[in-house]
Amino acid sequence: MAEKKDYKVVGTRPIRHDGVDKVTGRALYGADFQTVGLLHGKVLRSPHAHARIKSIDTSRAEAHPGVRAVVTAKDFPAVEDKIADLGEGAANVKDLQDNVLAGDKALYKGHQVAAVAAIDPHTAEEALELIDVEYEVLPPVIKVLDAMKEDAPLLHEDMHTDEMGEKSEKPSNIAAHFQHKQGDPEKGYAEADVVVEQEYTTETVHQGYIEPHNATALYNPDGQLTIWCSTQGAFAVRGQVSEILQIPVSKVKVVPMEIGGGFGGKINVYIKPIAAMLSMKTGKPVKVLMSRADVFEGTGPTPGSYVRVKMGATNDGRITAAEAYLAFEAGAYPGSPVGAAAFCVFSPYKVENGTVDGYDVVVNKPKTAAYRAPGATNAAFAAETVIDEICEKIGMDPLEFRILNSATEGDIRIDGPPAPRVGFIETVEAAKDHPHYSAPLEGENVGRGVASGYWPNFGMKSSVSINVTGDGTISLVEGSTDIGGTRASIAMQAAEVLGIPAESVTPTVADTDSVGYTDVTGGSRTAFATGYAAYEAAQDVKQQMIERAAKLWEVDPEEVQFADGVFSSVNGKEQEIDFKGLAERLDETGGPVVGRGTADPNQPGPSIGLHVVDVEVDPDTGKIDILRYTATQDAGKAVHPSYVEGQIQGGAVQGIGWALNEEYIYNEKGEMTNASFLDYRIPTCLDLPMIDAVIVEVPNPGHPFGVRGVGETPIIAPPAAIANAVYRATGVRLKELPMSPGRVLKAMGKI
Amino acid sequence: MATIAIPSLMQKLTDGANQVVVEGKTLREIVNNLEAAHPGFKDRLCDGDRIRPSISVYIDGVMTREGLHQPIGEEANIHFVPAISGGLASHGQDFS
Amino acid sequence: MPKKVHVQTTINGEAVEYLCEPRQSLLEVLRDVLHLTGAKEGCNNGNCGACSVILDGRLVNSCLVLGAELEGKSLETIEGLAEPEQLHPIQDAFLENAALQCGICTPGFIMAAKALLDQNPNPTEHEIRYWLAGNLCRCTGYDKIVRAVQDAAQTTS
């Protein structure tokens, strides 16, 4: 499977199926949902980063005119301390509950403490001020290295460090430590001509999706709960709500509305269980919407981190040993993406002697969530700038160094198993051949940098069903919420199998009662795995249609061929009918045709990219301007190249924002001080040039069309590429993210 | 006989050996035989009758989802690896 | 609850009247009173542009205008842009250029682009970027949005 070949639909650029709804304002997102008798909920949040909750008195709020219900953690059903398998991941149910409404302790500013349902949002807001919470304020711990100290304030007095199943004796903020080890690093350093070791820090950053979280819940007296919301995974919401509220999954229906961005941040639930609890108490539908400040302070960002990387190489450019120490802030509960960081830190390269240590550490910040290639950006910022330093020391072109050290299929990964095929050398060659890399760079204070980014991608479970319509089109029902054009890329894969145009597919994203189990839109898995399920469903349709043609022509199905959208008999009668013609004749050949496909593919095929950036640094203000940007990436097979380019461009720009501006700024009390889009500044179009996306196609053997997921990889390289460019422009290496003007001036010794 | 790569943090259980050879036709048999030869392994790898969500198992380079039912070939190479986690999970796999 | 205000106004060329609370923003009125949900709330403090509408020919963030202020004015929203059988050229250009991913910022960008092209039919790339800097998109990196506006300018001018 998956050799390079020409396709009729895959690789073309049709208009997306949901396009007209989205350019006319008619597409309904979660906050747009309306129903009769709606109440509005608002959430009270902890003003303290770390505090014991001594008491909550809701009586004044309950008495406020227009208020219909108030809920606190006391309204949760009792749960045991257990790890629940939620399909796309496992989580401690008590932690899940505690994060939704704080029990004994508030663990970060913005932690949800109580909620109100009232006749309108303003009345609910008024009532929040009437809830009396008595706090005993505790000292917060905000930075990962502080939280790891022996005498650090403990967030969870009963938490012990887990080292692959072995628990520490003393309680600690370090939730887990693990290690990957291959070969003998000491021997490797002895063989090295040059050894570079550097420390890096990154701050907490947010996904910054434009649509705040939202949920409307209706609990019926028969025990049936329905939730309308924007989410990356309707089944993930169902699973979490079911565990948190101890309701069977069969009693929870989640209706995914359109979603206004997620990037990993709309998998965890925050207000969905609250809307459900308020509906249970009132018997009415309850809508809860977050404000932008709620989103920053109360939802999972991606962690701040401390990363130390040491690498040795010979003068002829061969890596002899590498080590990484990664300490990640999990936020208030365990579960940072340090595992992925440890996996990705050296994965583009062949490292025969290496050690990677990962630490998952709780701090008084919101529980981190996934963010586009979670963990990999933090790790690559360190590893890819250390490599740049080595290249400079040995006088080697950084692209040549990458080609020389590229891990190839079968090389042992740092965690043990062999590496799969990925087009690393091909993306580096594409960057080398691009006019950008050889273009002269003119002027002062300018520099060019490169870096690569690797992400393993994920497969996971998807379901698709296809109904053949009498006019020769198909309707395709899928469970993957469409966050960036996947209705099109999934529909196109079914169309390719059936030899019909993309426009002849009507894709629908269904609720949890109407489609088979489907994991989240995340992990760069949707076009790959749900596309795979669509391929399987289309194959099922094709086989059934072959049988219908056989029936029509009174021949054996084995005598019917299907190619280029046309069924033909091979029994000498030379009969032919196209898909549309046959679809018109289903009634006389046995009735409706419904195809089904499921997938749980285990060879997602990693994706890798190499980015080239030119910057100009203002020596007086420290501001970095992006002059030119080129991003290459292995897409396996780009199903809809425009949307693949869009992923690469969008990911690169999120990485640029992370590199240049974005950070949670905390004061000494552990309060975030910049919870708005004015002060947490994401890139605007005025900050950027065009982003040249170069698609490289090295087919993934694990997918029938060779598809690799593309969504996450492009965020990984930008901070390192920009730091390397800034070094060329200024002679200074930046080791802290973001490289905001103040940090740049400080590094240049100007302040 | 299958070859098991032992994660560095579990090598205390194997007296420092980074790989051991164990017999078994399923992952369950492998884990049980590992436990018999090196007591303490099963508890580190399994939570009751399941592989811990914090552990991923690779058979000949491919991650398995079949848990202890997974059939094991005669010459299999098995890796127990810390699972990639993030986002939703406090343990186990998950990503954006 | 405060006494409501009676407002008579014009929205997308049609006479409209409604009651709103003095504290309700135009965005709240559009979404919750008139059920015109094409304008989106991304920040509710004028930083993201997802609620962009054109008020008496001028681009505004509807979250920063009070609903009561609409008395006697003329408002254009995303819902009024397309003809029954024909999208507006800017809408077409967004589709042709794949200038949207999640789509939440798209109505705001399209209204902002319309306000730009209404007054400057042939903007440079820099002018487009300067004008659209009040609208945040987190998905696209803006490349395809800028190209869509360039294309639309070619079509409309």
Side-chain angles (χ1 to χ4, degrees):
Chain A
M1 277 202 287
E3 286 156 32
K4 270 201 173 184
K5 51 185 151 183
D6 289 329
Y7 299 107
K8 291 262 167 25
V9 181
V10 167
T12 64
R13 302 177 188 241
I15 299 291
R16 61 193 281 170
H17 300 79
D18 53 339
V20 171
D21 279 347
K22 285 182 176 161
V23 298
T24 54
R26 285 182 195 135
L28 293 176
Y29 293 75
D32 303 333
F33 181 77
Q34 295 284 352
T35 188
V36 177
L38 196 59
L39 297 176
H40 297 267
K42 288 278 177 187
V43 177
L44 183 71
R45 294 169 185 277
S46 169
H48 306 295
H50 194 189
R52 206 169 298 285
I53 297 174
K54 297 178 82 172
S55 67
I56 304 178
D57 182 353
T58 59
S59 54
R60 288 198 303 141
E62 280 159 12
H64 188 61
V67 169
R68 295 289 180 266
V70 183
V71 292
T72 67
K74 288 205 169 65
D75 295 289
F76 280 134
V79 292
E80 33 176 333
D81 207 11
K82 64 155 189 174
I83 305 290
D85 185 355
L86 296 168
E88 63 293 297
N92 183 302
V93 178
K94 192 79 192 67
D95 287 354
L96 285 177
Q97 271 193 349
D98 235 35
N99 195 36
V100 167
L101 282 169
D104 299 337
K105 277 170 106 182
L107 292 171
Y108 51 94
K109 181 179 181 250
H111 198 160
Q112 302 181 143
V113 168
V116 172
I119 52 169
D120 64 60
H122 293 289
T123 305
E125 228 161 45
E126 287 165 3
L128 292 186
E129 295 178 20
L130 303 173
I131 298 174
D132 301 301
V133 187
E134 199 189 337
Y135 294 101
E136 176 196 341
V137 179
L138 303 170
V141 59
I142 295 299
K143 296 266 185 190
V144 61
L145 293 182
D146 293 337
M148 293 173 83
K149 289 180 183 156
E150 286 272 330
D151 57 349
L154 289 176
L155 275 76
H156 307 280
E157 286 83 0
D158 58 350
M159 196 173 83
H160 299 256
T161 308
D162 179 299
E163 288 194 306
M164 292 200 77
E166 192 176 19
K167 293 277 186 188
S168 68
E169 272 181 31
K170 279 175 67 179
S172 168
N173 288 325
I174 304 171
H177 165 229
F178 62 86
Q179 185 181 69
H180 301 310
K181 190 163 199 273
Q182 296 299 327
D184 181 353
E186 288 314 315
K187 179 175 148 276
Y189 292 127
E191 290 167 12
D193 297 309
V194 49
V195 176
V196 172
E197 182 172 14
Q198 296 288 3
E199 295 175 287
Y200 300 84
T201 60
T202 74
E203 299 300 323
T204 302
V205 298
H206 199 270
Q207 300 84 357
Y209 35 80
I210 305 300
E211 176 203 45
H213 290 249
N214 55 72
T216 306
L218 175 60
Y219 185 79
N220 269 346
D222 63 359
Q224 182 67 45
L225 174 66
T226 305
I227 300 176
W228 296 264
C229 60
S230 303
T231 174
Q232 288 177 243
F235 288 89
V237 172
R238 186 181 76 168
Q240 291 172 83
V241 169
S242 154
E243 287 289 348
I244 289 168
L245 300 180
Q246 297 290 295
I247 306 171
V249 283
S250 60
K251 290 287 185 187
V252 183
K253 174 162 104 174
V254 177
V255 185
M257 308 293 288
E258 295 304 327
I259 171 171
F263 314 106
K266 286 186 185 151
I267 299 172
N268 300 20
V269 299
Y270 305 95
I271 51 177
K272 293 168 182 99
I274 287 179
M277 292 162 85
L278 291 169
S279 183
M280 285 174 175
K281 272 203 168 176
T282 58
K284 298 272 170 51
V286 179
K287 183 193 259 191
V288 184
L289 305 178
M290 281 196 191
S291 70
R292 177 54 51 184
D294 293 345
V295 172
F296 277 120
E297 296 188 332
T299 70
T302 207
S305 59
Y306 166 85
V307 181
R308 192 170 67 233
V309 165
K310 182 177 178 185
M311 189 177 277
T314 56
N315 277 332
D316 58 2
R318 196 173 50 83
I319 298 173
T320 57
E323 285 173 285
Y325 175 102
L326 305 126
F328 273 48
E329 293 166 0
Y333 303 92
S336 77
V338 67
F343 178 82
C344 289
V345 62
F346 300 130
S347 44
Y349 308 103
K350 182 173 182 166
V351 174
E352 288 175 323
N353 302 301
T355 311
V356 178
D357 282 283
Y359 294 85
D360 185 39
V361 183
V362 294
V363 293
N364 289 113
K365 294 183 180 181
K367 160 77 175 76
T368 56
Y371 178 23
R372 205 168 198 154
T377 306
N378 313 46
F381 173 55
E384 295 287 309
T385 51
V386 163
I387 284 175
D388 202 62
E389 226 176 302
I390 287 177
C391 290
E392 187 206 356
K393 285 197 157 64
I394 62 174
M396 191 169 202
D397 178 275
L399 296 189
E400 296 301 339
F401 183 90
R402 284 172 172 83
I403 291 171
L404 184 66
N405 288 287
S406 162
T408 51
E409 189 173 357
D411 283 345
I412 298 304
R413 304 190 321 214
I414 196 79
D415 64 334
R421 172 86 168 99
V422 65
F424 187 28
I425 290 173
E426 290 82 350
T427 56
V428 177
E429 296 280 4
K432 217 167 84 176
D433 295 343
H434 193 281
H436 182 172
Y437 196 63
S438 48
L441 195 53
E442 282 155 8
E444 284 182 45
N445 307 310
V446 295
R448 177 170 298 152
V450 302
S452 46
Y454 176 103
W455 185 248
N457 287 341
F458 291 84
M460 306 168 73
K461 301 174 285 291
S462 287
S463 308
V464 164
S465 64
I466 292 177
N467 308 292
V468 179
T469 312
D471 61 2
T473 66
I474 59 171
S475 75
L476 184 153
V477 182
E478 58 184 287
S480 289
T481 50
D482 183 351
I483 206 160
T486 51
R487 279 185 183 86
S489 60
I490 291 162
M492 288 167 73
Q493 296 180 56
E496 184 69 46
V497 172
L498 297 174
I500 58 177
E503 294 77 11
S504 292
V505 185
T506 307
T508 299
V509 178
D511 66 61
T512 52
D513 285 350
S514 309
V515 65
Y517 183 88
T518 299
D519 278 313
V520 296
T521 295
S524 300
R525 64 172 292 277
T526 310
F528 166 74
T530 308
Y532 206 134
Y535 169 88
E536 293 290 349
Q539 291 290 351
D540 186 17
V541 167
K542 185 174 99 180
Q543 194 49 44
Q544 293 182 55
M545 294 293 271
I546 284 173
E547 284 160 22
R548 297 307 177 89
K551 210 164 181 180
L552 200 64
W553 297 328
E554 298 174 11
V555 299
D556 284 338
E558 291 72 38
E559 295 173 59
V560 178
Q561 280 186 339
F562 179 71
D564 294 331
V566 176
F567 298 87
S568 56
S569 69
V570 289
N571 62 354
K573 290 183 190 168
E574 290 178 15
Q575 303 197 76
E576 264 190 16
I577 192 165
D578 65 7
F579 188 85
K580 182 169 184 292
L582 188 55
E584 284 166 1
R585 304 191 65 178
L586 294 185
D587 281 358
E588 56 188 291
T589 54
V593 167
V594 177
R596 60 176 188 171
T598 64
D600 187 6
N602 62 0
Q603 281 182 275
S607 181
I608 196 161
L610 193 124
H611 292 203
V612 184
V613 61
D614 296 351
V615 302
E616 179 174 2
V617 183
D618 184 323
D620 297 321
T621 65
K623 181 171 184 285
I624 299 169
D625 279 324
I626 306 294
L627 302 177
R628 186 170 181 181
Y629 205 99
T630 303
T632 71
Q633 191 174 326
D634 180 8
K637 175 69 199 171
V639 178
H640 191 309
S642 298
Y643 286 95
V644 172
E645 290 160 7
Q647 289 294 324
I648 296 172
Q649 292 162 337
V653 167
Q654 282 189 316
I656 291 170
W658 194 340
L660 298 184
N661 301 306
E662 297 180 33
E663 66 177 310
Y664 276 42
I665 299 170
Y666 284 90
N667 65 17
E668 71 289 349
K669 287 191 264 181
E671 299 163 346
M672 182 189 186
T673 59
N674 60 331
S676 78
F677 272 143
L678 185 66
D679 298 315
Y680 182 98
R681 195 174 177 289
I682 71 173
T684 74
C685 62
L686 192 58
D687 301 322
L688 298 160
M690 293 294 186
I691 307 293
D692 199 350
V694 180
I695 299 171
V696 173
E697 294 185 326
V698 177
N700 170 18
H703 186 279
F705 301 127
V707 173
R708 297 173 190 270
V710 295
E712 292 168 290
T713 296
I715 198 174
I716 303 170
I722 292 169
N724 294 337
V726 168
Y727 174 72
R728 300 276 177 328
T730 63
V732 172
R733 290 218 176 258
L734 274 288
K735 293 174 196 130
E736 294 174 13
L737 289 185
M739 295 175 271
S740 48
R743 285 199 180 87
V744 173
L745 288 180
K746 208 169 140 197
M748 292 172 77
K750 301 213 171 184
I751 53 171
Chain B
M1 296 281 261
T3 306
I4 322 289
I6 306 298
S8 48
L9 293 181
M10 291 186 181
Q11 289 171 10
K12 262 189 267 178
L13 296 174
T14 56
D15 296 325
N18 62 6
Q19 62 177 49
V20 297
V21 176
V22 172
E23 205 148 347
K25 291 196 170 60
T26 62
L27 193 55
R28 186 186 311 280
E29 289 179 22
I30 294 280
V31 169
N32 286 339
N33 291 341
L34 206 49
E35 172 69 19
H38 307 284
F41 246 108
K42 191 167 184 179
D43 190 46
R44 300 281 291 272
L45 295 173
C46 298
D47 182 11
D49 197 34
R50 302 178 72 171
I51 294 287
R52 285 183 185 275
S54 56
I55 306 272
S56 292
V57 185
Y58 284 79
I59 314 291
D60 297 326
V62 177
M63 199 199 295
T64 170
R65 303 199 201 294
E66 306 209 350
L68 295 171
H69 313 295
Q70 171 71 41
I72 302 296
E74 196 54 33
E75 302 280 305
N77 281 300
I78 302 177
H79 288 87
F80 295 104
V81 171
I84 291 179
S85 78
L88 174 66
S90 52
H91 307 279
Q93 303 169 43
D94 160 40
F95 11 80
S96 102
Chain C
M1 200 193 289
K3 200 173 151 188
K4 288 186 174 174
V5 183
H6 177 227
V7 177
Q8 284 188 309
T9 187
T10 305
I11 298 180
N12 298 325
E14 289 183 20
V16 172
E17 57 185 316
Y18 57 80
L19 295 174
C20 70
E21 289 182 44
R23 63 183 171 183
Q24 280 183 301
S25 69
L26 173 56
L27 178 60
E28 287 181 271
V29 169
L30 288 174
R31 294 180 53 81
D32 298 340
V33 179
L34 302 174
H35 294 178
L36 293 171
T37 55
K40 306 298 182 189
E41 179 184 318
C43 68
N44 208 29
N45 54 13
N47 289 313
C48 80
C51 65
S52 298
V53 294
I54 299 173
L55 182 59
D56 281 350
R58 201 172 147 206
L59 182 68
V60 299
N61 288 312
S62 59
C63 70
L64 297 184
V65 176
L66 289 172
E69 290 182 85
L70 225 58
E71 178 69 32
K73 296 208 181 338
S74 175
L75 186 73
E76 294 171 66
T77 72
I78 187 73
E79 286 87 354
L81 212 56
E83 299 294 327
E85 297 206 345
Q86 179 69 56
L87 292 176
H88 187 279
I90 300 173
Q91 293 171 317
D92 269 330
F94 268 65
L95 292 182
E96 291 288 345
N97 284 278
L100 60 148
Q101 284 177 32
C102 81
I104 196 84
C105 70
T106 308
F109 265 100
I110 289 175
M111 294 312 289
K114 179 172 189 296
L116 168 65
L117 298 183
D118 282 351
Q119 63 151 41
N120 179 359
N122 281 304
T124 63
E125 182 189 332
H126 182 77
E127 285 170 335
I128 293 171
R129 288 185 181 276
Y130 187 84
W131 184 273
L132 295 180
N135 291 73
L136 298 179
C137 169
R138 192 60 158 171
C139 295
T140 64
Y142 303 103
D143 182 300
K144 292 182 189 301
I145 292 176
V146 173
R147 289 179 200 277
V149 177
Q150 287 174 327
D151 264 16
Q154 295 257 311
T155 320
T156 50
S157 65

